Amino acid sequence: MKYVRVGKSGLKITEITFGTALTVGTEFDEEKRVSDLIDTAWNLGIRSYDTSNNYGEAESLLGRALKKYKREEYVVSTKGSWPIGETPFHRGLSRKHILWAIEESLKKLELDYVDLYYAHRYDPEVSMEEIIRTFNYLINTGKIRYWATSEWPLEALKECHKVCDKLKLEKPILEQSIYSYAITKIEKNGVKDFCDKNGVGLLGFSPLAQGLLTGKYRKEIPKDSRIAKSKKINYSKTLDIYNQNKKRIDKYLDVCEKYKVKAHYVALQWVLRKNIFPVMGASKPEQLIDNINALTVEIPEKLWEELENINEE
């Protein structure tokens, strides 16, 4: 497992980050099952772990699973801003909410600090100066080592960098966005170009488009799939993603089949080829092991050329 530098910062993470969204603490909460997954990730060389305060019990489960490992040997990130309650005090990027949210996350993770703390979606109701000063305060008090953004629009990122320069304060080192062969909006809306030009790292969540790029839904809906469990986990977007991107996904699967390469191997390498580092979850250890195998498989250059041509249609 390679280590990669996050943008222009000094932080290094493994090229694959283990993510807990929609699985740990949401789909299942058995401690042994979570521990087995984290141990598998660790044995595969993964040292970067991503969670959030709105992923059910994920923070608590991840924190307990990581306790056996030396704190300085891994990077853990969590997030604040996403609504987690009914009142205005349980959401957004106000100083009041973020200072409370980080303390709650640290308690659940049973940690003194997190390496990365995300402004989890942009909040237009809070001034950029307040957001920046709040996250810099957390850095200065040792609660976080770096700060980052997730799914921020281009104009907000531009304003953030401008205000950081004016105040001479630390900028976010990373933007985490949804990204896969099926969903390439950050290449179209200017976010990727901005990050590349300004030395901001990029992490992509849902690199397999929630399983749609594996081909497992092509003939039927598997019983243990996310679509089949949509009511249980209160999440129905996977089917929406397929319906919105059906033509592109089907053409992609046709190309993978033509070259006899596993579709999910291609999907993960596609993201890495774009210098975007995948945040990848798993429900089972064997699933995680198989996905990591993707990093070492040689894929014909002609396959990439055909996929790029589909991209231009």
Side-chain angles (χ1 to χ4, degrees), residues 27-35 61:
E27 181 185 334
F28 52 86
D29 58 9
E30 302 92 339
E31 284 203 30
K32 185 180 185 309
R33 184 174 178 180
V34 176
S35 184
L61 290 162

Side-chain angles (χ1 to χ4, degrees), residues 265-313:
Y265 287 8
V266 175
L268 287 170
Q269 285 200 30
W270 170 269
V271 177
L272 289 166
R273 282 170 66 90
K274 298 292 183 177
N275 203 34
I276 298 171
F277 301 102
V279 180
M280 189 172 64
S283 299
K284 304 170 185 175
E286 55 267 30
Q287 189 180 45
L288 187 57
I289 293 167
D290 185 42
N291 285 335
I292 296 302
N293 286 337
L295 305 182
T296 58
V297 172
E298 287 191 24
I299 295 174
E301 196 61 35
K302 286 185 177 180
L303 179 147
W304 299 123
E305 290 173 8
E306 289 201 32
L307 291 183
E308 290 286 358
N309 288 335
I310 292 172
N311 194 35
E312 293 167 5
E313 290 179 4

